[in-house]
């Protein structure tokens, strides 16, 4: 069950702890990627809630989905057993930063059901003065 909302952003959305997905049953996952807006992932639960994972892009930064490992359909129609967020600013082996990139943040969202496991990896890059955070909100 989703717990109380936290901070309200300028879009009027309330932050939700990612771990609140545990015990929820997802019925739909929509992934969209638009160059001018960035990536959005919208999760719909069996009780009709919609939760959005996104980043509001600003100047001199970029935050987007770098990869999805696993099958998103494995998360549907069965309760979520694991919902975990982890971040790192360490440079993984083989990653070459952009020429003007002073800061980066990797954010990993790990989800699992009895049917399978999915890891959604976001990469935020900036000049160090802008947010690289991924938002998870109820809409």
């Amino acid at each position: 069950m989703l717990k109380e909302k936290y901070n309200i952003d300028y879009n009027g959305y309330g932050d939700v702890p990612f771990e609140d997905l545990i015990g929820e049953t997802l019925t739909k996952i929509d992934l969209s990627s638009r160059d001018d807006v960035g990536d959005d992932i919208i999760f719909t639960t069996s009780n009709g809630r919609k939760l959005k994972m996104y980043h509001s892009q600003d100047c001199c930064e970029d935050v987007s989905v770098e990869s999805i490992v696993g099958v998103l359909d494995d998360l549907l129609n069965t309760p979520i057993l694991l919902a975990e967020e982890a971040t790192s600013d360490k440079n993984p082996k083989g990653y070459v930063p952009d020429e003007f990139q002073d800061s980066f943040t990797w954010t990993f969202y790990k989800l699992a059901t009895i049917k399978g496991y999915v890891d959604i990896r976001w990469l935020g890059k900036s000049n160090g003065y802008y947010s690289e955070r991924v938002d998870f909100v109820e809409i």
Side-chain angles (χ1 to χ4, degrees):
M1 210 46 153
L2 292 171
K3 297 177 186 162
E4 67 183 55
K5 293 181 185 178
Y6 288 80
N7 300 323
I8 304 295
D9 73 4
Y10 70 91
N11 291 316
Y13 299 141
D15 286 340
V16 174
F18 189 68
E19 300 78 30
D20 281 358
L21 278 178
I22 295 172
E24 292 286 340
T25 299
L26 301 178
T27 57
K28 187 175 182 184
I29 301 171
D30 291 312
L31 172 63
S32 64
S33 181
R34 296 180 302 281
D35 291 336
D36 60 335
V37 180
D39 295 323
D40 292 345
I41 302 175
I42 297 177
F43 301 92
T44 303
T45 68
S46 60
N47 58 10
R49 288 196 165 143
K50 290 188 183 267
L51 299 146
K52 181 178 179 180
M53 184 182 289
Y54 75 106
H55 176 82
S56 291
Q57 302 294 345
D58 204 345
C59 170
C60 306
E61 50 99 86
D62 179 52
V63 181
S64 59
V65 174
E66 188 74 9
S67 68
I68 297 176
V69 177
V71 179
L72 289 174
D73 284 349
D74 286 348
L75 302 175
L76 299 178
N77 304 311
T78 189
I80 299 292
L81 302 174
L82 171 75
E84 182 178 291
E85 174 185 10
T87 61
S88 175
D89 61 0
K90 304 284 187 227
N91 191 0
K93 185 176 180 179
Y95 176 71
V96 179
D98 296 341
E99 181 181 351
F100 299 106
Q101 178 183 336
D102 295 324
S103 174
F104 60 90
T105 302
W106 296 94
T107 307
F108 302 88
Y109 291 95
K110 304 168 187 182
L111 291 159
T113 68
I114 198 164
K115 296 191 300 186
Y117 174 87
V118 173
D119 188 8
I120 303 169
R121 182 175 68 154
W122 289 72
L123 173 59
K125 314 182 263 190
S126 79
N127 62 5
Y129 294 101
Y130 293 89
S131 172
E132 298 161 3
R133 180 178 180 270
V134 178
D135 293 300
F136 188 65
V137 297
E138 186 170 355
I139 57 174

